[in-house]
Amino acid sequence: MLHDPNRKALLNPAVRRRGIYLLPNLFTTAALFAGFYAIVQAMNGRFEHSAVAIFVAMVLDALDGRVARLTHTQSAFGAEYDSLSDMVSFGVAPALVMYEWALQGLGKLGWLGAFVYCVGAALRLARFNTNIDVVDKRYFQGLPSPAAAALIAGLVWIMHDHDVRGREVMWLAWIVTVFAGVSMVSNLRFYSGKDVNLRKSVPFAVLLALVLAIVLISSNPPTVLFLLFVGYSLSGYVLWVWERFKRHRLKAPPGAAP
């Protein structure tokens, strides 16, 4: 019998016992399902359901990593699975939803705009996975794919809430889609919030602000969420301008006009 190293590895009890952690991967699977559901609903013309599903995927994606860290169930499999789920929920799904909702009326330019977003999400995720140990944890390099997806979904949702059809704002939809795709692969810095320690005590004003934010979002989810992610997507550009302004002032000789 020929020697088979793979067979020997399978007979190793340590290898046979190796599995995957159930709890965090359940959240990842639920996020993947939400992204797939968004695509299906867009194909059926139910764009409001698609937009809500993408936001649900965002919440589930935020939970799976935190659940893994809290339960000490991080794994290489979970990280890879999460990345693939993100590509579907925040890359493919928003691109197809936007194309079905508004961009197909633009012909070739429409599907090219959707592809710019899709490839931007793929490149963003690939860069994130390779640079995860070398970047400043306080900032994301490029617009995060969930935030880009929220920008797309928020536009669809707010327009549906105001009875505006996609073909009536197809050029606005194209600009937002390309803007989100390009922002994901940019070198702009976006605040990550990872330096916030939830285990430490916070002032009462912070808790009050969180409660007011929840009340504000619940009062008009489409409008508030869309404006929130528009502001976040522009924050990287504002930070870039501000840093360049500060560097210019530092280089200016004393007494020079600003």
Side-chain angles (χ1 to χ4, degrees):
M1 182 180 293
L2 295 176
H3 176 69
D4 186 356
N6 293 327
R7 182 174 181 273
K8 184 178 180 181
L10 291 174
L11 293 176
N12 188 335
V15 174
R16 285 184 296 164
R17 286 197 300 267
R18 184 180 299 168
I20 61 174
Y21 295 109
L22 181 62
L23 187 59
N25 290 305
L26 279 178
F27 282 92
T28 305
T29 303
L32 177 59
F33 174 80
F36 179 76
Y37 180 81
I39 295 173
V40 172
Q41 293 306 304
M43 294 169 63
N44 293 327
R46 300 173 180 174
F47 299 109
E48 183 182 16
H49 294 181
S50 297
V52 173
I54 291 174
F55 278 108
V56 170
M58 282 185 58
V59 175
L60 294 169
D61 178 69
L63 289 175
D64 63 358
R66 284 166 175 78
V67 168
R69 287 189 292 271
L70 288 173
T71 57
H72 303 289
T73 53
Q74 303 101 316
S75 66
F77 174 87
E80 295 296 329
Y81 187 32
D82 180 69
S83 184
L84 293 172
S85 173
D86 287 353
M87 184 58 209
V88 173
S89 299
F90 310 130
V92 177
L96 291 178
V97 169
M98 186 60 86
Y99 178 77
E100 289 287 332
W101 179 64
L103 300 183
Q104 59 181 329
L106 295 174
K108 183 184 294 186
L109 195 62
W111 64 258
L112 283 174
F115 178 72
V116 167
Y117 177 90
C118 191
V119 73
L123 293 172
R124 170 68 176 79
L125 290 168
R127 183 174 64 180
F128 176 81
N129 291 337
T130 55
N131 294 344
I132 191 169
D133 295 324
V134 297
V135 297
D136 187 348
K137 301 296 184 183
R138 297 173 299 169
Y139 296 95
F140 292 117
Q141 184 182 12
L143 183 66
S145 57
L151 192 62
I152 299 295
L155 178 64
V156 174
W157 197 3
I158 193 174
M159 290 302 172
H160 183 277
D161 194 53
H162 289 85
D163 295 322
V164 178
R165 297 183 180 181
R167 64 173 180 266
E168 299 174 23
V169 290
M170 61 177 63
W171 284 110
L172 173 63
W174 188 87
I175 292 172
V176 171
T177 303
V178 173
F179 169 79
V182 172
S183 296
M184 282 189 284
V185 296
S186 69
N187 288 322
L188 299 173
R189 298 193 303 162
F190 293 83
Y191 181 63
S192 68
K194 292 183 179 181
D195 57 339
V196 177
N197 191 343
L198 298 178
R199 297 181 181 180
K200 292 184 177 180
S201 60
V202 295
F204 178 76
V206 175
L207 179 61
L208 181 61
L210 290 174
V211 172
L212 291 176
I214 293 173
V215 172
L216 187 62
I217 292 174
S218 62
S219 65
N220 192 340
T223 301
V224 175
L225 287 174
F226 178 65
L227 292 178
L228 177 66
F229 283 101
V230 166
Y232 182 75
S233 65
L234 294 176
S235 65
Y237 294 89
V238 173
L239 180 61
W240 179 79
V241 171
W242 173 248
E243 289 178 342
R244 286 182 64 88
F245 175 73
K246 287 198 301 182
R247 285 198 298 267
H248 177 72
R249 292 194 62 180
L250 290 174
K251 290 180 180 178

